[in-house]
Amino acid sequence: MTDEFTHAQEKTPPSQPNPALKSLEGLVGDWTMELSNASFLPHPSDTAKGSISFEWVQNGAFLLMRMGDKPPSAPAALWLIGRDESAPNYTVLYYDSRSVSRIYGMSFSEGVWKMWREAPGFWQRYEGTVNQNGKTITACWEKSRDGSTWEHDFDVTYTKLS
């Protein structure tokens, strides 16, 4: 049966871009990232800089965000973004170099990018604003132990390079 399945896959035409992800196409490319006001950095005035990239996977079936180095080096984190065509929100599968894996809900509409996670003991939410030319995203992460009392976690600014 495996041979039949493999043979059938070979005859399947290349996948078409996922129309449910069309609104995310402005994210595709390379970006710089700057974290600031982070609760986990040694001093409040410290910043951390890095790189991220967004690229289509499987001819646009999914959007992949890499935070950190590109292959062959291991990235610090991977975010795989997809969406059920019948639902308004996206799903983000997250995995990082600490072996942390998470699932986030996500919305992206009219220049506002939101992500959220509701997990016992560690809730998270993110809101970013894309500037008018689409080259800068200014955002903030918050965290909560119970989902009702929120505290600032860190700010992040993304600047598009290409």
Side-chain angles (χ1 to χ4, degrees):
M1 179 149 182
T2 302
D3 290 335
E4 291 173 20
F5 182 72
T6 302
H7 184 68
Q9 283 182 315
E10 291 170 358
K11 291 184 176 187
T12 304
S15 63
Q16 299 298 310
N18 183 347
L21 302 182
K22 184 158 180 59
S23 65
L24 304 178
E25 66 189 353
L27 296 175
V28 174
D30 295 320
W31 299 71
T32 61
M33 173 183 69
E34 182 172 339
L35 299 176
S36 59
N37 301 313
S39 61
F40 51 83
L41 292 176
H43 299 86
S45 62
D46 287 351
T47 61
K49 296 182 181 185
S51 61
I52 67 165
S53 64
F54 289 91
E55 61 190 78
W56 295 116
V57 177
Q58 293 299 109
N59 297 321
F62 299 97
L63 185 64
L64 177 67
M65 177 179 153
R66 292 179 194 275
M67 189 179 339
D69 293 333
K70 288 187 174 186
S73 298
L78 294 172
W79 307 67
L80 186 62
I81 303 168
R83 194 182 116 203
D84 181 325
E85 64 191 29
S86 69
N89 293 324
Y90 302 86
T91 298
V92 180
L93 301 175
Y94 170 90
Y95 184 77
D96 69 25
S97 57
R98 303 168 297 167
S99 297
V100 171
S101 60
R102 298 185 175 142
I103 298 176
Y104 293 90
M106 184 182 114
S107 65
F108 193 90
S109 179
E110 298 181 21
V112 178
W113 179 14
K114 293 182 180 183
M115 285 188 280
W116 56 91
R117 176 177 178 261
E118 299 172 358
F122 189 56
W123 294 48
Q124 293 174 283
R125 64 185 181 193
Y126 162 96
E127 184 168 330
T129 303
V130 181
N131 75 345
Q132 286 191 339
N133 69 9
K135 303 288 185 190
T136 304
I137 302 170
T138 306
C140 174
W141 278 95
E142 293 180 309
K143 61 185 178 179
S144 173
R145 293 182 191 275
D146 59 10
S148 58
T149 304
W150 291 90
E151 63 183 85
H152 179 270
D153 196 6
F154 62 93
D155 297 323
V156 62
T157 301
Y158 302 108
T159 304
K160 194 168 191 179
L161 300 172
S162 61

